Amino acid sequence: MNAPALIHWTDADGAPRQARWQAEGGQPVPRKVMLADDRLPADTAYKLACEGTALLWQGDFQNARHLLQALGRRLDQQARRGGRRQAGGQPAQRPTPQAARDAFHQHRQQQGHRARILGMLVLPFAADHTLPLRRAPDVRQACLEAYGPAEGPYVASLRELLGLIGAHEWRKKGVEIPALKGRIHAHHGVFSPVRGEYVDLVARAPLPSTELAFDIGTGSAVLAAVLARRGVRRIVATDLSPRALACAQENLQHLGLLPQVELLQADLFPPGQAPLVVCNPPWLPAKPVSTIEQAVYDPDSRMLRGFLAGLKARLAPGGEGWLVISDLAEHLGLRTRDELLGWIQAGGLRVIDRLDIRPRHPKASDAADPLHAARAAEVTSLWRLGAAPHA
């Protein structure tokens, strides 16, 4: 095993200190660290963070949250100034593929820059996941769910901690899925089915069989659960992530569907063939920068291309493959429809039918979103694919 990454700093008495660096998103260990508390002005904190200095907080926890918000406001002001300079008074118009692609990459760069700056406000954690700070909340369960048992004291960013707390609350609350008449509870790092339109497509597409189905990349197991509710007697659900499989098992158990579903750790397909093979791969061919982003971003469309290349061999005679995917990548200039159709054809497949639905999430109607033009045009589709007849 690799040695844990360590963060180093000097304490108030001038003594050197170190602790394990914890970063779910893979952020590198800060090279420069200084102690900070309630006396640090926001403007000074912003300047230090932009210069790459991590601020190891020693003061009141709630004041650290206020400082993080202040840093965020300064980043927003900087982004608005940059946006005005780029707009140049030009009228809004539908972007070309190149312009859409440039806007997407710029948006990702801005997100990365924001994450780096806000990630510079860091907190000390004790070995039991407690925070030795005034007015600190009890974050032990949220940290345990994401990090597992701690191996000793560690340091993590406040921004990441707030994400863990949010994930913990979402896990407790869950997401109501009408097709299930129940809720799905996503674990930290597992995509939550808050965009219900793709679930609706799987709930209404005509089933080719109720004997057996494969659910490729099951995640929270929402699609496996929908198929089970629709009467599919046996489902084999795969995922490469142990965290996702644990989440899937918990969801299926509380829905009473675990006897119908076999969970298997696999990269794409399980052994054998099925009359129905379902896959909802990541929609955007880009590099994820955190665990949760792996459900959205897939470099070079690896999972999508792997599914289409291997699907024919996994289909029972007369079977169907259901590819559930958004066309957002097409509107962002990251992939063309011709490329998708070419991969379908190269896999020896044909399109039987396609069911479409418009997204209902808030960003689809948010004109202030930097990717609004693409989101407003987005359509989510369920492609019903079958084996192409031999030439």
Side-chain angles (χ1 to χ4, degrees):
M1 296 179 62
N2 294 329
L6 298 176
I7 182 171
H8 300 265
W9 71 96
T10 302
D11 69 15
D13 296 324
R17 297 284 304 279
Q18 68 176 30
R20 186 165 51 85
W21 171 246
Q22 183 71 56
E24 275 282 288
Q27 293 85 354
V29 182
R31 294 183 179 179
K32 296 168 61 179
V33 182
M34 64 170 281
L35 301 182
D37 59 26
D38 312 290
R39 298 168 295 178
L40 182 66
D43 285 337
T44 304
Y46 183 67
K47 180 175 183 294
L48 289 166
C50 289
E51 292 171 349
T53 298
L55 308 171
L56 180 57
W57 194 254
Q58 308 290 292
D60 180 90
F61 177 83
Q62 300 304 328
N63 286 342
R65 291 193 63 167
H66 296 325
L67 178 58
L68 188 70
Q69 293 168 353
L71 297 178
R73 288 194 295 271
R74 283 156 177 77
L75 285 165
D76 291 339
Q77 291 167 2
Q78 182 187 52
R80 283 196 294 271
R81 287 195 296 268
R84 285 195 294 269
R85 284 195 297 269
Q86 289 174 11
Q90 296 299 318
Q93 56 185 345
R94 187 173 180 83
T96 65
Q98 182 62 51
R101 187 160 53 248
D102 290 345
F104 170 75
H105 289 307
Q106 182 183 32
H107 176 61
R108 291 288 285 167
Q109 288 174 352
Q110 290 174 344
Q111 286 182 316
H113 175 70
R114 184 183 184 87
R116 283 192 298 274
I117 301 304
L118 297 183
M120 287 295 169
L121 183 54
V122 301
L123 308 177
F125 291 76
D128 61 352
H129 294 306
T130 57
L131 283 166
L133 301 173
R134 294 190 307 276
R135 293 201 293 168
D138 185 350
V139 298
R140 288 175 294 176
Q141 187 60 34
C143 292
L144 182 65
E145 289 171 358
Y147 299 150
E151 299 174 2
Y154 62 95
V155 170
S157 78
L158 172 57
R159 181 176 185 268
E160 176 159 297
L161 173 63
L162 297 179
L164 302 190
I165 294 171
H168 171 66
E169 293 303 319
W170 270 108
R171 177 172 175 173
K172 287 196 301 183
K173 178 183 177 182
V175 177
E176 183 68 29
I177 306 296
L180 292 175
K181 295 182 173 62
R183 305 182 82 83
I184 288 290
H185 301 263
H187 293 193
H188 174 74
V190 180
F191 192 71
S192 179
V194 290
R195 288 191 54 165
E197 66 269 8
Y198 76 97
V199 180
D200 293 345
L201 288 173
V202 173
R204 66 182 174 90
L207 289 169
S209 169
T210 56
E211 287 297 319
L212 172 66
F214 293 164
D215 176 22
I216 309 304
T218 193
S220 67
V222 62
L223 297 186
V226 168
L227 293 173
R229 279 277 192 258
R230 294 191 64 188
V232 178
R233 286 186 281 276
R234 179 171 172 255
I235 299 146
V236 181
T238 70
D239 207 294
L240 201 54
S241 164
R243 180 179 285 174
L245 292 171
C247 175
Q249 179 166 351
E250 184 178 291
N251 281 315
L252 292 166
Q253 191 157 8
H254 87 252
L255 290 168
L257 299 173
L258 195 56
Q260 289 169 255
V261 184
E262 176 188 351
L263 294 169
L264 181 67
Q265 186 173 17
D267 188 2
L268 295 177
F269 301 99
Q273 294 182 322
L276 176 60
V277 183
V278 179
C279 184
N280 172 218
W283 293 350
L284 296 177
K287 182 181 178 181
V289 295
S290 65
T291 305
I292 191 63
E293 282 197 350
Q294 293 173 3
V296 180
Y297 299 102
D298 180 25
D300 199 30
S301 301
R302 187 198 72 86
M303 184 174 178
L304 170 60
R305 292 188 297 109
F307 173 71
L308 293 173
L311 174 59
K312 183 177 180 180
R314 299 302 182 183
L315 287 178
E320 290 186 18
W322 289 359
L323 171 64
V324 186
I325 195 166
S326 155
D327 65 356
L328 183 60
E330 298 172 22
H331 298 295
L332 290 173
L334 304 176
R335 183 174 59 236
T336 67
R337 178 57 58 92
D338 285 344
E339 281 182 296
L340 176 60
L341 294 174
W343 295 336
I344 291 172
Q345 183 178 24
L349 304 166
R350 63 185 177 92
V351 178
I352 300 170
D353 193 12
R354 194 185 77 224
L355 308 178
D356 296 334
I357 193 169
R358 288 280 182 180
R360 300 187 293 262
H361 59 89
K363 284 188 177 180
S365 56
D366 181 5
D369 187 279
L371 305 179
H372 172 68
R375 296 192 197 278
E378 180 185 6
V379 172
T380 301
S381 301
L382 185 153
W383 295 75
R384 293 175 57 204
L385 306 174
H390 294 294

